[in-house]
PDB file of all heavy atoms in Angstrom:
ATOM      1  N   THR Z 284      -5.154   1.315 -12.264  1.00  0.00           N
ATOM      2  CA  THR Z 284      -4.062   0.596 -12.932  1.00  0.00           C
ATOM      3  C   THR Z 284      -2.757   1.256 -12.501  1.00  0.00           C
ATOM      4  O   THR Z 284      -2.728   2.465 -12.249  1.00  0.00           O
ATOM      5  CB  THR Z 284      -4.167   0.637 -14.476  1.00  0.00           C
ATOM      6  OG1 THR Z 284      -3.968   1.989 -14.915  1.00  0.00           O
ATOM      7  CG2 THR Z 284      -5.495   0.114 -14.978  1.00  0.00           C
ATOM      8  N   MET Z 362      -6.413   5.560 -14.124  1.00  0.00           N
ATOM      9  CA  MET Z 362      -5.456   4.821 -14.937  1.00  0.00           C
ATOM     10  C   MET Z 362      -4.078   5.452 -14.789  1.00  0.00           C
ATOM     11  O   MET Z 362      -3.739   6.397 -15.495  1.00  0.00           O
ATOM     12  CB  MET Z 362      -5.906   4.843 -16.397  1.00  0.00           C
ATOM     13  CG  MET Z 362      -7.400   4.585 -16.582  1.00  0.00           C
ATOM     14  SD  MET Z 362      -7.880   2.968 -16.012  1.00  0.00           S
ATOM     15  CE  MET Z 362      -7.729   2.118 -17.541  1.00  0.00           C
ATOM     16  N   VAL Z 363      -3.318   4.893 -13.854  1.00  0.00           N
ATOM     17  CA  VAL Z 363      -2.007   5.476 -13.559  1.00  0.00           C
ATOM     18  C   VAL Z 363      -0.894   4.697 -14.278  1.00  0.00           C
ATOM     19  O   VAL Z 363       0.236   5.147 -14.373  1.00  0.00           O
ATOM     20  CB  VAL Z 363      -1.757   5.485 -12.024  1.00  0.00           C
ATOM     21  CG1 VAL Z 363      -0.640   6.453 -11.673  1.00  0.00           C
ATOM     22  CG2 VAL Z 363      -3.019   5.869 -11.262  1.00  0.00           C
ATOM     23  N   ALA Z 364      -1.241   3.527 -14.790  1.00  0.00           N
ATOM     24  CA  ALA Z 364      -0.213   2.666 -15.397  1.00  0.00           C
ATOM     25  C   ALA Z 364       0.462   3.347 -16.592  1.00  0.00           C
ATOM     26  O   ALA Z 364      -0.181   4.074 -17.349  1.00  0.00           O
ATOM     27  CB  ALA Z 364      -0.844   1.356 -15.853  1.00  0.00           C
ATOM     28  N   VAL Z 366       1.412   2.388 -19.716  1.00  0.00           N
ATOM     29  CA  VAL Z 366       1.174   1.264 -20.633  1.00  0.00           C
ATOM     30  C   VAL Z 366       2.058   1.434 -21.875  1.00  0.00           C
ATOM     31  O   VAL Z 366       2.154   2.538 -22.423  1.00  0.00           O
ATOM     32  CB  VAL Z 366      -0.319   1.245 -21.050  1.00  0.00           C
ATOM     33  CG1 VAL Z 366      -0.621   0.055 -21.941  1.00  0.00           C
ATOM     34  CG2 VAL Z 366      -1.220   1.232 -19.825  1.00  0.00           C
ATOM     35  N   ALA Z 367       2.665   0.350 -22.323  1.00  0.00           N
ATOM     36  CA  ALA Z 367       3.470   0.425 -23.555  1.00  0.00           C
ATOM     37  C   ALA Z 367       2.537   0.690 -24.733  1.00  0.00           C
ATOM     38  O   ALA Z 367       1.502   0.039 -24.866  1.00  0.00           O
ATOM     39  CB  ALA Z 367       4.218  -0.887 -23.762  1.00  0.00           C
ATOM     40  N   ASP Z 368       2.893   1.642 -25.559  1.00  0.00           N
ATOM     41  CA  ASP Z 368       2.028   1.972 -26.697  1.00  0.00           C
ATOM     42  C   ASP Z 368       2.098   0.901 -27.786  1.00  0.00           C
ATOM     43  O   ASP Z 368       1.169   0.746 -28.561  1.00  0.00           O
ATOM     44  CB  ASP Z 368       2.439   3.329 -27.285  1.00  0.00           C
ATOM     45  CG  ASP Z 368       2.124   4.453 -26.313  1.00  0.00           C
ATOM     46  OD1 ASP Z 368       1.040   4.403 -25.711  1.00  0.00           O
ATOM     47  OD2 ASP Z 368       2.970   5.350 -26.129  1.00  0.00           O
ATOM     48  N   PRO Z 393      -3.824  -1.724 -27.419  1.00  0.00           N
ATOM     49  CA  PRO Z 393      -5.081  -1.007 -27.171  1.00  0.00           C
ATOM     50  C   PRO Z 393      -4.820   0.164 -26.231  1.00  0.00           C
ATOM     51  O   PRO Z 393      -3.957   0.074 -25.349  1.00  0.00           O
ATOM     52  CB  PRO Z 393      -5.959  -2.065 -26.481  1.00  0.00           C
ATOM     53  CG  PRO Z 393      -5.004  -3.063 -25.921  1.00  0.00           C
ATOM     54  CD  PRO Z 393      -3.823  -3.063 -26.840  1.00  0.00           C
ATOM     55  N   ASP Z 394      -5.534   1.265 -26.430  1.00  0.00           N
ATOM     56  CA  ASP Z 394      -5.476   2.366 -25.459  1.00  0.00           C
ATOM     57  C   ASP Z 394      -6.562   2.073 -24.422  1.00  0.00           C
ATOM     58  O   ASP Z 394      -7.757   2.269 -24.668  1.00  0.00           O
ATOM     59  CB  ASP Z 394      -5.703   3.717 -26.156  1.00  0.00           C
ATOM     60  CG  ASP Z 394      -5.429   4.868 -25.199  1.00  0.00           C
ATOM     61  OD1 ASP Z 394      -5.842   4.779 -24.031  1.00  0.00           O
ATOM     62  OD2 ASP Z 394      -4.781   5.847 -25.627  1.00  0.00           O
ATOM     63  N   ILE Z 395      -6.117   1.545 -23.291  1.00  0.00           N
ATOM     64  CA  ILE Z 395      -7.067   1.055 -22.280  1.00  0.00           C
ATOM     65  C   ILE Z 395      -7.960   2.198 -21.796  1.00  0.00           C
ATOM     66  O   ILE Z 395      -9.176   2.050 -21.668  1.00  0.00           O
ATOM     67  CB  ILE Z 395      -6.311   0.410 -21.095  1.00  0.00           C
ATOM     68  CG1 ILE Z 395      -5.319  -0.639 -21.607  1.00  0.00           C
ATOM     69  CG2 ILE Z 395      -7.270  -0.190 -20.087  1.00  0.00           C
ATOM     70  CD1 ILE Z 395      -4.339  -1.145 -20.571  1.00  0.00           C
ATOM     71  N   LEU Z 396      -7.334   3.330 -21.557  1.00  0.00           N
ATOM     72  CA  LEU Z 396      -8.070   4.497 -21.048  1.00  0.00           C
ATOM     73  C   LEU Z 396      -9.110   4.966 -22.065  1.00  0.00           C
ATOM     74  O   LEU Z 396     -10.287   5.137 -21.719  1.00  0.00           O
ATOM     75  CB  LEU Z 396      -7.064   5.615 -20.732  1.00  0.00           C
ATOM     76  CG  LEU Z 396      -7.631   6.970 -20.312  1.00  0.00           C
ATOM     77  CD1 LEU Z 396      -8.458   6.860 -19.046  1.00  0.00           C
ATOM     78  CD2 LEU Z 396      -6.506   7.978 -20.104  1.00  0.00           C
ATOM     79  N   GLY Z 411      -7.286   9.957 -16.111  1.00  0.00           N
ATOM     80  CA  GLY Z 411      -6.046   9.523 -16.747  1.00  0.00           C
ATOM     81  C   GLY Z 411      -4.847  10.205 -16.116  1.00  0.00           C
ATOM     82  O   GLY Z 411      -5.000  11.185 -15.369  1.00  0.00           O
ATOM     83  N   PHE Z 412      -3.696   9.700 -16.396  1.00  0.00           N
ATOM     84  CA  PHE Z 412      -2.440  10.319 -15.968  1.00  0.00           C
ATOM     85  C   PHE Z 412      -1.636  10.645 -17.214  1.00  0.00           C
ATOM     86  O   PHE Z 412      -1.778   9.968 -18.245  1.00  0.00           O
ATOM     87  CB  PHE Z 412      -1.647   9.368 -15.066  1.00  0.00           C
ATOM     88  CG  PHE Z 412      -1.841   9.675 -13.608  1.00  0.00           C
ATOM     89  CD1 PHE Z 412      -3.057   9.415 -13.006  1.00  0.00           C
ATOM     90  CD2 PHE Z 412      -0.817  10.232 -12.859  1.00  0.00           C
ATOM     91  CE1 PHE Z 412      -3.256   9.717 -11.669  1.00  0.00           C
ATOM     92  CE2 PHE Z 412      -1.012  10.530 -11.519  1.00  0.00           C
ATOM     93  CZ  PHE Z 412      -2.222  10.278 -10.915  1.00  0.00           C
ATOM     94  N   LYS Z 426      -4.680  15.757 -24.320  1.00  0.00           N
ATOM     95  CA  LYS Z 426      -4.868  14.315 -24.099  1.00  0.00           C
ATOM     96  C   LYS Z 426      -6.220  14.026 -23.438  1.00  0.00           C
ATOM     97  O   LYS Z 426      -6.885  13.051 -23.769  1.00  0.00           O
ATOM     98  CB  LYS Z 426      -3.718  13.805 -23.220  1.00  0.00           C
ATOM     99  CG  LYS Z 426      -3.557  12.322 -23.217  1.00  0.00           C
ATOM    100  CD  LYS Z 426      -2.244  11.900 -22.583  1.00  0.00           C
ATOM    101  CE  LYS Z 426      -1.055  12.197 -23.467  1.00  0.00           C
ATOM    102  NZ  LYS Z 426       0.208  11.757 -22.884  1.00  0.00           N
ATOM    103  N   LYS Z 430      -8.759  11.493 -25.309  1.00  0.00           N
ATOM    104  CA  LYS Z 430      -9.101  10.184 -24.739  1.00  0.00           C
ATOM    105  C   LYS Z 430     -10.522  10.146 -24.185  1.00  0.00           C
ATOM    106  O   LYS Z 430     -11.062   9.079 -23.935  1.00  0.00           O
ATOM    107  CB  LYS Z 430      -8.126   9.838 -23.619  1.00  0.00           C
ATOM    108  CG  LYS Z 430      -6.670   9.823 -24.112  1.00  0.00           C
ATOM    109  CD  LYS Z 430      -5.889   8.736 -23.458  1.00  0.00           C
ATOM    110  CE  LYS Z 430      -4.448   8.790 -23.884  1.00  0.00           C
ATOM    111  NZ  LYS Z 430      -3.791   7.493 -23.756  1.00  0.00           N
TER     112      LYS Z 430
HETATM  113  O1  C5P H1469      -1.139   8.253 -24.316  1.00  0.00           O
HETATM  114  P1  C5P H1469      -0.408   8.295 -23.038  1.00  0.00           P
HETATM  115  O2  C5P H1469       0.320   7.017 -22.712  1.00  0.00           O
HETATM  116  O3  C5P H1469       0.474   9.485 -22.838  1.00  0.00           O
HETATM  117  O4  C5P H1469      -1.597   8.480 -21.972  1.00  0.00           O
HETATM  118  C1  C5P H1469      -1.427   8.268 -20.615  1.00  0.00           C
HETATM  119  C2  C5P H1469      -2.715   7.837 -19.975  1.00  0.00           C
HETATM  120  O5  C5P H1469      -3.371   6.869 -20.786  1.00  0.00           O
HETATM  121  C3  C5P H1469      -2.482   7.156 -18.666  1.00  0.00           C
HETATM  122  O6  C5P H1469      -3.627   7.366 -17.864  1.00  0.00           O
HETATM  123  C4  C5P H1469      -2.340   5.703 -19.066  1.00  0.00           C
HETATM  124  O7  C5P H1469      -2.628   4.835 -17.999  1.00  0.00           O
HETATM  125  C5  C5P H1469      -3.354   5.582 -20.173  1.00  0.00           C
HETATM  126  N1  C5P H1469      -3.001   4.605 -21.223  1.00  0.00           N
HETATM  127  C6  C5P H1469      -3.746   3.462 -21.379  1.00  0.00           C
HETATM  128  N2  C5P H1469      -3.467   2.570 -22.382  1.00  0.00           N
HETATM  129  C7  C5P H1469      -2.472   2.821 -23.268  1.00  0.00           C
HETATM  130  C8  C5P H1469      -1.714   3.995 -23.134  1.00  0.00           C
HETATM  131  C9  C5P H1469      -2.010   4.858 -22.101  1.00  0.00           C
HETATM  132  O8  C5P H1469      -4.636   3.220 -20.567  1.00  0.00           O
HETATM  133  N3  C5P H1469      -2.229   1.966 -24.229  1.00  0.00           N
END
Side-chain angles (χ1 to χ4, degrees):
T284 67
M362 316 297 267
V363 198
V366 183
D368 292 318
D394 189 318
I395 308 169
L396 174 61
F412 262 70
K426 196 168 287 182
K430 302 217 184 204

